[in-house]
Amino acid sequence: MPKVDEKPRVYLEEFRVKNAPEDYGMADEKWSLKKFVKKLRIVIVRMDSFEMEFDLIGIQPAFANAFRRLMLSEVPSMAIEKVMIKNNTSIIQDEVLAHRLGLIPLKADPRLFEYRPEDATEGTEFNTLEFSLKVKCSTNKNQPKDSFRTDDLYENHSVYSSQIKWHPISNQATVHKEQDIGPVHGDILISKMRPGHELDLHLVAVKGIGKDHAKFSPVATASYRLLPEVTITRDVHGDEAILLQSCFAPGVIGLDSEGKAYVREARYDMCSRNVYRYDEIKDAVILSRIRDHFIFNVESVGAMPPNIIFIEAVKILRDKCKSILDELNKFN
Amino acid sequence: MGEINKKQNDWDSSKGLREPIKALEDKWKLVPSFLEVKGLVKQHIDSFNYFINVEIKKIVQANEKVFCESDPLFYIKYLNAYVGTPDLEEGFNVSKRTTPHECRLRDMTYSAPITVDIEYIRGNQRVIKNKQLIGRMPLMLRSSNCVLTNKSDYELAQLNECPHDPGGYFIIRGQEKVILIQEQLSRNRMIVDEFKGAIQCQVTSSTHEKKTRTNVIVKNGKYVLRHNALSDDIPIAVAFKAMGICSDQEIMQLVGTDDTIVKKMAPCIMDCHNLKIFTQNQALAYVGSKLKVKRFQTGNAKARTPIDEARDLFATIILAHVTVENYNFYVKAIYLAIMVKRVIEAENNKAAIDDPDYYGNKRLELAGSLLALMFEDLFKRFNWELKSIADKIIPKVKAAPFDIVKHMRPGLIANGLFAAISSGNWTIKRFKMERHGVTQVLSRLSYISALGMMTRVNSQFEKTRKVSGPRSLQPSQWGMLCPSDTPEGEGCGLVKNLALMTHITTECSEEPIARLACNAGVEDVRLLGGEEINHPAVYMVFLNGNILGVSRQYKRLIKVFRMFRRRGLISAFVSIYPNHNQRTVYICSDGGRLCRPYIIVEKGYPLVQQFHINDLNRGIRKFQDFLNDGLIEYLDVNEENDSHIATREADIDPYVTTHLEIEPFTILGVCAGLVPYPHHNQSPRNTYQCAMGKQAMGTIGYNQKNRIDTLMYNLVYPQCPMVKSRTIELINFDKLPAGQNATVAVMSYSGYDIEDALILNRASIDRGYGRCLVYKSAKTTMKRYSNQTSDRILGPSRDAATGKVIRAHEILDIDGIAAPGEMVENRQVLINKQMPPATLNPVTQGQPQQIDYKDVPITYKGPVESYIEKVMVSSNSEDAFLIKILLRQTRVPEIGDKFSSRHGQKGVTGLIVQQEDMPFNDRGICPDMIMNPHGFPSRMTVGKTIELLAGKAGLMEGKFHYGTAFGGSKVRDVCAELEKHGYNYHGKDIFYSGLTGEPLEAYIYSGPVYYQKLKHMVQDKMHARARGPRAVLTRQPTEGRSRDGGLRLGEMERDCLIGYGASMLLMERLMLASDAFSADICDACGRLASRAWCHACRSSAAVSSIEMPYACKLLFQELASMNIVPKLTLKKYC
């Protein structure tokens, strides 16, 4: 056994995941803000406008999970909710078309909008975005001879998300810039058409949350994993070391100049536990994960940068706590 | 087995010395190449092509002359017959070419005219008339005369037809009908079987005219001939004498002169002596006396003596398929003698009894031969009708000469054929044959269900009989019929499906084969005596059940025949095989035999070599070339059993093996071919999948959006399975899929997953998983009536007060038909049709009469609204307006919808869970579906676990894995791929609970599995009722969901309540909630009174009112009407 430090662990055994024997779960710990503040650490590992990886260290899984859940289902975003079909002569069915349009991620920042009241018949500039999609497919008048490529034969044979046009309501044009509103990706294929097919749609986007429908989720996915830890318990040399190295993701196990295996960076391990397939080196490692070290991975759909999404999630949790406290305080 | 000289020398190790035969690479490519020309539905098409191009001419020729009794000079002679190209008659002899899709949409029949060239007498002249229409022939799609044959995909698309549609069915009045393959015992063959302990030899003879059954049976230790036309059994010796074999010695020589045979035959010969029958005439007189008395004797038949009748009986009815020329019965006598001999052999040796379930003794009847029977019957009736018209009209004196052509009604043959196909009732008068359910409506639930239906084989065997023999898997089914694909329940083992490479032969002409046989040393039996025929050195040769002759060198005969067949000098489907026990050689060229191609192995090496396959890959060699070059040949079941077939190259034994299997997975059929790794599954699971694959929704064809079916299920986003099989590619299932790859986690979740229930991910559903489209159609016709009135459609009605369109008519267009794109709710009108009253006098001219039209609207029914996809207005074959409306619903999976994997593992949705509550793994993957692991141990569907692994590895590699039967990607390779990509070798990952956020204690087996959405959905089944309609007669609640019926408290439920003693509850359920009725009873007489007045007592003094079920009151009244008086005695209750 390695020396027991204060880090809580789960052990990845061959056939099951086991908590450390002395670990009774962090829920039992008495909450102390001081201790928590001392332990809590956030390290941003990687971030761009769509994806972020960061470590949340020293926190209970309940919190980490709450943030994950909130990002998935309660951080709002804008999505097309209503499609008025004025004309649809394409082969795609009205409902399916509407469903596809709904899933197109929009750039519009949900923080700048309000929820639309359920009983509202008309949207206002503060809660609604209106778009239109008007495409008509026709035969290409000056098509090159002997070409059978659809691109040459027809015009507008494929409808892409870039063809969605924003129609600002009253003051919206001054508040928002056009490039900040429309679809995140312009190359999403909505429908294919042939001459004679026509789409004339009026689209209404509103603010909503992922709990309602997955299209309102601001993330493609948000999830975490626990930090892996690999401990080598005995010396592993030569062929065994190479075998050991091959059992882990690249970069996890290093070989020193003498061909002895050492743990270089356990973070990269995929926890495939393939060591257990080899009886000869099975006993040489202990696989475990740190229970309060969460490696978050947030993939934004594009409306908000991932760090903002996380902060929004934290805010929602804060507001929820506040509201429950308010409710409880009523009885005091 | 005597055939094979196993050279088992001491150094059997020679096998080891040989260079091992390399397995041919890409040998499976022969299968698609085969499927281009044969297999799947081609047998239907081949058979139908044979019928319309060859057999119909033969039938017309066989019935070519029609005479009439009133004019000896009059005749009609058919010179030739043709089936034309499909068209529609538009009246006034104008016809228009048509396409199958037009017929489907317009409820027409896809048919072609049958025309004949005739020569007949008009007045005194001989007239030849060409192209005379005599009827119409329903056309099989993709048959030689169909517009779809030899069309490119582009041309098919222009005809609104799916290029993957197999064809092989008919379109009758807009309905797609399949003539199922019928399985029956082969005709004209001797079958020795044991019937109630007695051995009998049975021959069902079938010729164009007759179908009779002749038996030789053992009765009191003697052999007798039994036949339906005879009232009593005839001693066999008498039969021989009746056929002109008068001397006892000759009879014995024909049957055989072995001691055992002589001993057995002696009593029969004695019998004949006891009856004092010595000459042919005496025998015939005896037989004549046993004839069944015919009821209706025609005029000229009266003159015939019983002897003549008996002679005719032997000539044409008994063993009808053995032809008799000039009353020379010799060949027939030999045939009868062989029958007797077979019985004797079977008595001595039970092994000689034939197995009627053996597939060599079976013939499959296809659309062509069934239609031929029907057509011949109708054609005969047509001719008979012509004859009776001629009989009637010719004697009359007329101005114009009698022209028979004017009396030819094409309707008889056309309607006869249409009615037979559309009803499935095959009534053949001359055979006294009546069969039901020959045709079925082509199931278009999914592409697989349509394809599966085309390969279905129906057995003639009664479904209710409880015998296991015909139902159990026969070893001779190997490779011919799918071992997995059979329904559960009453049709189990009786309804079968063809395997992938099976072909069913069509008949080919016998004469060249007979001639070839004679040249190969077969001697005519007519020149030989009994002693020579039964000589031990001699093998008797049969051609299609008829005696052809005897051969002294049967081995050479067989060798020559096979050589000729491999050289292509005789048809590839002629089979020849010896039977050493019977010392016979059978040659078969008849239709309906199951056969299958095999690679020929010579001297231990398969003739197909790698360069042949390479040529095939390059496209410079086709399947036919393999046949032509004698590398591959077709073997039917009988010949297959005379061959030694190696499954793999490694199994070839150089001294024994004669053939090599092309690909082992072809023993499975179309439906079983979809299952990945079926060889790892418990066999019933594959059978279940075969049944469920037909209920899976997905795509039914590229033309599905152009179809207006009464019911059609489509998946919005169908996917090709991650784990394919060769069969899937061969039948284009990957292009017309029915299912989606769901990421499945095998774990327990929440308890809503017990009993095979599935947990679905809400986000997956939101993103389109399992979303399906349901199309239903409504249709109506606008009829025109004889009294000059017709149906009409009115525009939407308006409310008199507000001037608004009434709610029921909200969706109607101005023309009174619902507008496309509108949403229809329950009870809204789709077509506002009105009908004139039925009894209306003809409208008098000039005075437009006010007609009181009756509303007969077509309304929409259903708890969930639909959208109108499209409206079609056309006309049908009766020139009436035809309006079809296609309605659409998009359905999202909900709790209770049924899903199934491809391993017979069905389950309903038990719970739909938000994505955040679902477990997730290290990579953030959240499963689409959670399946309970309890589904595995008892089902033993190991194939499913492998599918999951292979699918997961395929995702990583970006390729499809193959789960082909008896092959496919190996688990070891698949797992190695997973490991390469950093996954656990066993496919188990760490998952975190979505609820607590902590890692789950167990590793979770997860990956993609192909799931099918089955057609059973809650929305179509949900039903509840508090109150509602009641049946008129009994006043009890109606039955069934469609009638908004009540939920029955059945007998067993009633028993429970009785046992429990809940009498008041019972009373409420059975009477108050059902048909409570307050009846008046007269205390005095105990009878029912009416309105507090007893009619019997003529008083109201003692009438009291009680509650009773209305059904009870009804019973009393019905009894009273039968002169039974039920009386009630009433007592004070408390």
Side-chain angles (χ1 to χ4, degrees), chain A residues 13 16-17 65 68-69 73 91 93 95 99-100 214 223-224 226 270 272-274 277 289 291, chain B residues 705 717 766 775 888 890 916-917 920 922-924 979 984-985 988 992 994-995 997-998 1001 1003:
Chain A
E13 295 183 348
R16 63 166 180 171
V17 182
N65 193 35
R68 183 189 69 87
R69 290 168 62 91
S73 70
I91 58 153
Q93 296 85 356
E95 300 95 289
H99 173 238
R100 290 178 73 86
S223 83
Y224 59 74
L226 298 177
M270 315 263 263
S272 62
R273 313 176 311 281
N274 286 327
R277 289 185 58 219
R289 312 190 89 168
R291 288 224 309 152
Chain B
K705 291 228 48 174
Y717 299 111
D766 286 346
Y775 290 96
R888 155 171 48 88
T890 308
E916 64 268 22
D917 292 339
F920 58 98
D922 270 359
R923 303 179 188 217
E979 193 178 3
N984 178 250
Y985 184 87
K988 293 176 172 186
Y992 299 85
L995 297 165
E998 296 194 59
E1001 193 176 317
Y1003 299 120

Side-chain angles (χ1 to χ4, degrees), chain B residues 544-574:
Chain B
N544 291 335
N546 259 331
I547 298 170
L548 196 65
V550 294
S551 169
R552 275 179 287 184
Q553 287 178 296
Y554 78 93
K555 276 188 194 165
R556 184 169 159 268
L557 174 73
I558 292 173
K559 205 173 164 192
V560 164
F561 248 89
R562 290 192 177 151
M563 194 180 75
F564 271 51
R565 185 177 62 197
R566 288 171 192 183
R567 294 284 171 277
L569 297 172
I570 52 173
S571 161
F573 299 108
V574 174

Side-chain angles (χ1 to χ4, degrees), chain B residues 71 97 284 373 667 700 1018 1119:
Chain B
D71 183 359
R97 281 175 66 86
L284 287 173
L373 286 178
I667 69 157
I700 62 166
V1018 187
L1119 286 173

Side-chain angles (χ1 to χ4, degrees), chain B residues 388-400:
Chain B
S388 49
I389 288 169
D391 281 350
K392 237 180 267 169
I393 299 181
I394 288 179
K396 290 181 188 161
V397 187
K398 284 171 273 68

Side-chain angles (χ1 to χ4, degrees), chain A residues 33 101 107 151 197 227 277 295 299 318:
Chain A
L33 184 67
L101 287 165
K107 270 189 258 175
D151 284 338
H197 289 176
L227 178 75
R277 289 185 58 219
I295 302 171
E299 286 172 37
R318 184 194 63 193

Side-chain angles (χ1 to χ4, degrees), chain A residues 152-218:
Chain A
D152 295 334
L153 287 175
Y154 317 117
E155 276 174 354
N156 286 331
H157 61 86
S158 299
V159 183
Y160 289 102
S161 51
S162 56
Q163 283 162 290
I164 295 177
K165 223 181 123 210
W166 177 44
H167 295 280
I169 313 175
S170 56
N171 212 17
Q172 274 180 346
T174 54
V175 180
H176 307 285
K177 273 182 255 159
E178 176 142 21
Q179 66 265 30
D180 292 341
I181 291 296
V184 176
H185 309 277
D187 56 349
I188 299 174
L189 181 64
I190 296 168
S191 172
K192 285 198 174 183
M193 303 208 289
R194 283 295 174 269
H197 289 176
E198 191 179 345
L199 287 183
D200 187 359
L201 314 172
H202 179 74
L203 319 172
V204 177
V206 297
K207 187 173 165 180
I209 56 170
K211 214 174 223 172
D212 251 19
H213 194 283
K215 70 185 173 187
F216 289 118
S217 186

